[in-house]
Amino acid sequence: MDISHLMREGEKPAIAPNAGRHRQYCWTRADWGAYGESLRQAFPNILFYEEFGHLDWLEPKPEIRIFDRLDDPGITQPMCAFFPYPGWKPELIRVSLDTPKGQRCWTWAHYLSPRLRMFVRRIDHNPKEDWRGQLRDSPVEGWFESHMWTSYRREISEERRIESKAIRLAEKLCVRAVPVHWKSAEDFLAGRFRVSSAGLMLGDGRVSPRVIDWYWQSPNRAFELFVDIAGRANGSLPVEAVPDSAWGDIRRPKWAQRP
């Protein structure tokens, strides 16, 4: 399929982006760097740039900050990536939005898709979790997830191929962890939990081997730990840390089978 005329469209493409995926990864900063390298190997023309942030609404044209690596220490905003066509130039235009107040913002002069939007991890520090004040004297640790969204035009097979490849490259860096549920802080500290069927359906728990290693280095840790107002919590754990009793009536999927 010849899509060169579609790639060179203005900021409002004839075929609007109408598909995409959201993924969560428990990655280190080094994992983000490795992901950027794998993307560049697969797509040598890929471009990583930092979102303009609030500057896209202001009158002065924002600076386009392009980076070679996703673990660059100079990154301060969410990162985006797209796949420029030959001859593309990083030009911005200011457009009016279809809103009652007619706000204006800066965007690329020519539409580029697929796009990746990534909240890359800039430091490998996790704030302590005090379980809504219940564990002030002995807080626990949870490795927070990073987020990535994709956007592409599904009618264009080439864009589907690129987006799918970008997701596959990300998931090659991951192993699956088991989503679990704790009823209380006391249960967490005592190692009492149940496997979460909802988490399994959502496909949560994509963790890098580096983060798995972090888990085993100290007690009272988890991935994607979230404590709700009632003091319950959800998160995920390595397959090896989940006993058969925690599965209850839930059948272990193939990826969670233990030797």
PDB file of all heavy atoms in Angstrom, residues 225-244:
ATOM      1  N   LEU A 225       1.977  -1.408  43.612  1.00  0.00           N
ATOM      2  CA  LEU A 225       1.210  -1.413  44.861  1.00  0.00           C
ATOM      3  C   LEU A 225       0.299  -0.193  44.943  1.00  0.00           C
ATOM      4  O   LEU A 225       0.745   0.945  44.810  1.00  0.00           O
ATOM      5  CB  LEU A 225       2.170  -1.430  46.051  1.00  0.00           C
ATOM      6  CG  LEU A 225       1.537  -1.500  47.443  1.00  0.00           C
ATOM      7  CD1 LEU A 225       0.770  -2.805  47.604  1.00  0.00           C
ATOM      8  CD2 LEU A 225       2.612  -1.367  48.522  1.00  0.00           C
ATOM      9  N   PHE A 226      -0.989  -0.446  45.166  1.00  0.00           N
ATOM     10  CA  PHE A 226      -1.969   0.634  45.327  1.00  0.00           C
ATOM     11  C   PHE A 226      -2.858   0.318  46.518  1.00  0.00           C
ATOM     12  O   PHE A 226      -3.520  -0.726  46.557  1.00  0.00           O
ATOM     13  CB  PHE A 226      -2.836   0.800  44.081  1.00  0.00           C
ATOM     14  CG  PHE A 226      -3.955   1.787  44.273  1.00  0.00           C
ATOM     15  CD1 PHE A 226      -3.696   3.155  44.277  1.00  0.00           C
ATOM     16  CD2 PHE A 226      -5.256   1.350  44.481  1.00  0.00           C
ATOM     17  CE1 PHE A 226      -4.730   4.075  44.479  1.00  0.00           C
ATOM     18  CE2 PHE A 226      -6.283   2.258  44.678  1.00  0.00           C
ATOM     19  CZ  PHE A 226      -6.010   3.624  44.678  1.00  0.00           C
ATOM     20  N   VAL A 227      -2.881   1.231  47.491  1.00  0.00           N
ATOM     21  CA  VAL A 227      -3.688   1.072  48.705  1.00  0.00           C
ATOM     22  C   VAL A 227      -4.926   1.958  48.585  1.00  0.00           C
ATOM     23  O   VAL A 227      -4.806   3.164  48.349  1.00  0.00           O
ATOM     24  CB  VAL A 227      -2.883   1.453  49.960  1.00  0.00           C
ATOM     25  CG1 VAL A 227      -3.722   1.258  51.212  1.00  0.00           C
ATOM     26  CG2 VAL A 227      -1.593   0.637  50.049  1.00  0.00           C
ATOM     27  N   ASP A 228      -6.123   1.370  48.754  1.00  0.00           N
ATOM     28  CA  ASP A 228      -7.340   2.172  48.639  1.00  0.00           C
ATOM     29  C   ASP A 228      -7.724   2.793  49.981  1.00  0.00           C
ATOM     30  O   ASP A 228      -7.074   2.564  51.013  1.00  0.00           O
ATOM     31  CB  ASP A 228      -8.483   1.356  48.036  1.00  0.00           C
ATOM     32  CG  ASP A 228      -8.967   0.234  48.950  1.00  0.00           C
ATOM     33  OD1 ASP A 228      -8.708   0.281  50.173  1.00  0.00           O
ATOM     34  OD2 ASP A 228      -9.623  -0.696  48.438  1.00  0.00           O
ATOM     35  N   ILE A 229      -8.774   3.577  49.976  1.00  0.00           N
ATOM     36  CA  ILE A 229      -9.179   4.317  51.174  1.00  0.00           C
ATOM     37  C   ILE A 229      -9.505   3.380  52.329  1.00  0.00           C
ATOM     38  O   ILE A 229      -9.239   3.689  53.494  1.00  0.00           O
ATOM     39  CB  ILE A 229     -10.387   5.221  50.848  1.00  0.00           C
ATOM     40  CG1 ILE A 229      -9.969   6.301  49.843  1.00  0.00           C
ATOM     41  CG2 ILE A 229     -10.957   5.857  52.108  1.00  0.00           C
ATOM     42  CD1 ILE A 229     -11.114   7.179  49.368  1.00  0.00           C
ATOM     43  N   ALA A 230     -10.059   2.212  52.008  1.00  0.00           N
ATOM     44  CA  ALA A 230     -10.445   1.269  53.061  1.00  0.00           C
ATOM     45  C   ALA A 230      -9.268   0.484  53.632  1.00  0.00           C
ATOM     46  O   ALA A 230      -9.454  -0.305  54.551  1.00  0.00           O
ATOM     47  CB  ALA A 230     -11.493   0.295  52.522  1.00  0.00           C
ATOM     48  N   GLY A 231      -8.079   0.700  53.087  1.00  0.00           N
ATOM     49  CA  GLY A 231      -6.919  -0.010  53.603  1.00  0.00           C
ATOM     50  C   GLY A 231      -6.639  -1.332  52.922  1.00  0.00           C
ATOM     51  O   GLY A 231      -5.739  -2.064  53.338  1.00  0.00           O
ATOM     52  N   ARG A 232      -7.406  -1.642  51.877  1.00  0.00           N
ATOM     53  CA  ARG A 232      -7.086  -2.809  51.057  1.00  0.00           C
ATOM     54  C   ARG A 232      -6.036  -2.392  50.016  1.00  0.00           C
ATOM     55  O   ARG A 232      -5.800  -1.208  49.816  1.00  0.00           O
ATOM     56  CB  ARG A 232      -8.332  -3.338  50.367  1.00  0.00           C
ATOM     57  CG  ARG A 232      -9.446  -3.765  51.337  1.00  0.00           C
ATOM     58  CD  ARG A 232     -10.658  -4.237  50.545  1.00  0.00           C
ATOM     59  NE  ARG A 232     -11.208  -3.139  49.752  1.00  0.00           N
ATOM     60  CZ  ARG A 232     -12.284  -2.432  50.085  1.00  0.00           C
ATOM     61  NH1 ARG A 232     -12.924  -2.687  51.216  1.00  0.00           N
ATOM     62  NH2 ARG A 232     -12.731  -1.474  49.304  1.00  0.00           N
ATOM     63  N   ALA A 233      -5.454  -3.362  49.353  1.00  0.00           N
ATOM     64  CA  ALA A 233      -4.430  -3.016  48.370  1.00  0.00           C
ATOM     65  C   ALA A 233      -4.379  -4.040  47.250  1.00  0.00           C
ATOM     66  O   ALA A 233      -4.721  -5.217  47.435  1.00  0.00           O
ATOM     67  CB  ALA A 233      -3.055  -2.903  49.026  1.00  0.00           C
ATOM     68  N   ASN A 234      -3.953  -3.568  46.089  1.00  0.00           N
ATOM     69  CA  ASN A 234      -3.692  -4.430  44.943  1.00  0.00           C
ATOM     70  C   ASN A 234      -2.255  -4.207  44.493  1.00  0.00           C
ATOM     71  O   ASN A 234      -1.676  -3.132  44.697  1.00  0.00           O
ATOM     72  CB  ASN A 234      -4.640  -4.110  43.790  1.00  0.00           C
ATOM     73  CG  ASN A 234      -6.070  -4.474  44.109  1.00  0.00           C
ATOM     74  OD1 ASN A 234      -6.378  -5.624  44.414  1.00  0.00           O
ATOM     75  ND2 ASN A 234      -6.963  -3.499  44.043  1.00  0.00           N
ATOM     76  N   GLY A 235      -1.693  -5.208  43.890  1.00  0.00           N
ATOM     77  CA  GLY A 235      -0.336  -5.118  43.370  1.00  0.00           C
ATOM     78  C   GLY A 235      -0.019  -6.404  42.643  1.00  0.00           C
ATOM     79  O   GLY A 235      -0.918  -7.160  42.243  1.00  0.00           O
ATOM     80  N   SER A 236       1.250  -6.693  42.460  1.00  0.00           N
ATOM     81  CA  SER A 236       1.641  -7.952  41.837  1.00  0.00           C
ATOM     82  C   SER A 236       2.948  -8.438  42.434  1.00  0.00           C
ATOM     83  O   SER A 236       3.717  -7.653  43.008  1.00  0.00           O
ATOM     84  CB  SER A 236       1.756  -7.797  40.319  1.00  0.00           C
ATOM     85  OG  SER A 236       2.667  -6.769  39.970  1.00  0.00           O
ATOM     86  N   LEU A 237       3.188  -9.743  42.292  1.00  0.00           N
ATOM     87  CA  LEU A 237       4.349 -10.408  42.870  1.00  0.00           C
ATOM     88  C   LEU A 237       4.942 -11.374  41.850  1.00  0.00           C
ATOM     89  O   LEU A 237       4.239 -11.822  40.918  1.00  0.00           O
ATOM     90  CB  LEU A 237       3.947 -11.190  44.128  1.00  0.00           C
ATOM     91  CG  LEU A 237       3.402 -10.397  45.316  1.00  0.00           C
ATOM     92  CD1 LEU A 237       2.922 -11.360  46.395  1.00  0.00           C
ATOM     93  CD2 LEU A 237       4.452  -9.441  45.867  1.00  0.00           C
ATOM     94  N   PRO A 238       6.218 -11.735  42.008  1.00  0.00           N
ATOM     95  CA  PRO A 238       6.789 -12.747  41.116  1.00  0.00           C
ATOM     96  C   PRO A 238       6.039 -14.066  41.216  1.00  0.00           C
ATOM     97  O   PRO A 238       5.475 -14.398  42.269  1.00  0.00           O
ATOM     98  CB  PRO A 238       8.232 -12.892  41.629  1.00  0.00           C
ATOM     99  CG  PRO A 238       8.516 -11.647  42.398  1.00  0.00           C
ATOM    100  CD  PRO A 238       7.204 -11.225  42.983  1.00  0.00           C
ATOM    101  N   VAL A 239       6.025 -14.812  40.150  1.00  0.00           N
ATOM    102  CA  VAL A 239       5.352 -16.110  40.144  1.00  0.00           C
ATOM    103  C   VAL A 239       5.846 -16.978  41.288  1.00  0.00           C
ATOM    104  O   VAL A 239       5.056 -17.645  41.972  1.00  0.00           O
ATOM    105  CB  VAL A 239       5.586 -16.810  38.780  1.00  0.00           C
ATOM    106  CG1 VAL A 239       5.101 -18.262  38.834  1.00  0.00           C
ATOM    107  CG2 VAL A 239       4.875 -16.053  37.663  1.00  0.00           C
ATOM    108  N   GLU A 240       7.167 -16.968  41.534  1.00  0.00           N
ATOM    109  CA  GLU A 240       7.752 -17.836  42.553  1.00  0.00           C
ATOM    110  C   GLU A 240       7.335 -17.453  43.970  1.00  0.00           C
ATOM    111  O   GLU A 240       7.503 -18.252  44.906  1.00  0.00           O
ATOM    112  CB  GLU A 240       9.282 -17.809  42.448  1.00  0.00           C
ATOM    113  CG  GLU A 240       9.849 -18.356  41.161  1.00  0.00           C
ATOM    114  CD  GLU A 240       9.740 -17.385  39.999  1.00  0.00           C
ATOM    115  OE1 GLU A 240       9.375 -16.202  40.233  1.00  0.00           O
ATOM    116  OE2 GLU A 240      10.007 -17.810  38.854  1.00  0.00           O
ATOM    117  N   ALA A 241       6.816 -16.230  44.160  1.00  0.00           N
ATOM    118  CA  ALA A 241       6.414 -15.777  45.494  1.00  0.00           C
ATOM    119  C   ALA A 241       4.950 -16.058  45.797  1.00  0.00           C
ATOM    120  O   ALA A 241       4.466 -15.699  46.881  1.00  0.00           O
ATOM    121  CB  ALA A 241       6.687 -14.273  45.629  1.00  0.00           C
ATOM    122  N   VAL A 242       4.245 -16.683  44.870  1.00  0.00           N
ATOM    123  CA  VAL A 242       2.802 -16.917  45.031  1.00  0.00           C
ATOM    124  C   VAL A 242       2.559 -18.407  45.256  1.00  0.00           C
ATOM    125  O   VAL A 242       2.714 -19.220  44.332  1.00  0.00           O
ATOM    126  CB  VAL A 242       2.025 -16.432  43.795  1.00  0.00           C
ATOM    127  CG1 VAL A 242       0.520 -16.655  43.978  1.00  0.00           C
ATOM    128  CG2 VAL A 242       2.310 -14.954  43.531  1.00  0.00           C
ATOM    129  N   PRO A 243       2.167 -18.814  46.469  1.00  0.00           N
ATOM    130  CA  PRO A 243       1.926 -20.236  46.741  1.00  0.00           C
ATOM    131  C   PRO A 243       0.632 -20.714  46.082  1.00  0.00           C
ATOM    132  O   PRO A 243      -0.233 -19.921  45.704  1.00  0.00           O
ATOM    133  CB  PRO A 243       1.818 -20.284  48.264  1.00  0.00           C
ATOM    134  CG  PRO A 243       1.318 -18.922  48.640  1.00  0.00           C
ATOM    135  CD  PRO A 243       1.945 -17.969  47.658  1.00  0.00           C
ATOM    136  N   ASP A 244       0.517 -22.025  45.958  1.00  0.00           N
ATOM    137  CA  ASP A 244      -0.685 -22.609  45.348  1.00  0.00           C
ATOM    138  C   ASP A 244      -1.949 -22.188  46.092  1.00  0.00           C
ATOM    139  O   ASP A 244      -3.008 -21.988  45.493  1.00  0.00           O
ATOM    140  CB  ASP A 244      -0.575 -24.137  45.342  1.00  0.00           C
ATOM    141  CG  ASP A 244       0.493 -24.639  44.386  1.00  0.00           C
ATOM    142  OD1 ASP A 244       0.851 -23.888  43.457  1.00  0.00           O
ATOM    143  OD2 ASP A 244       0.977 -25.771  44.577  1.00  0.00           O
TER     144      ASP A 244
END
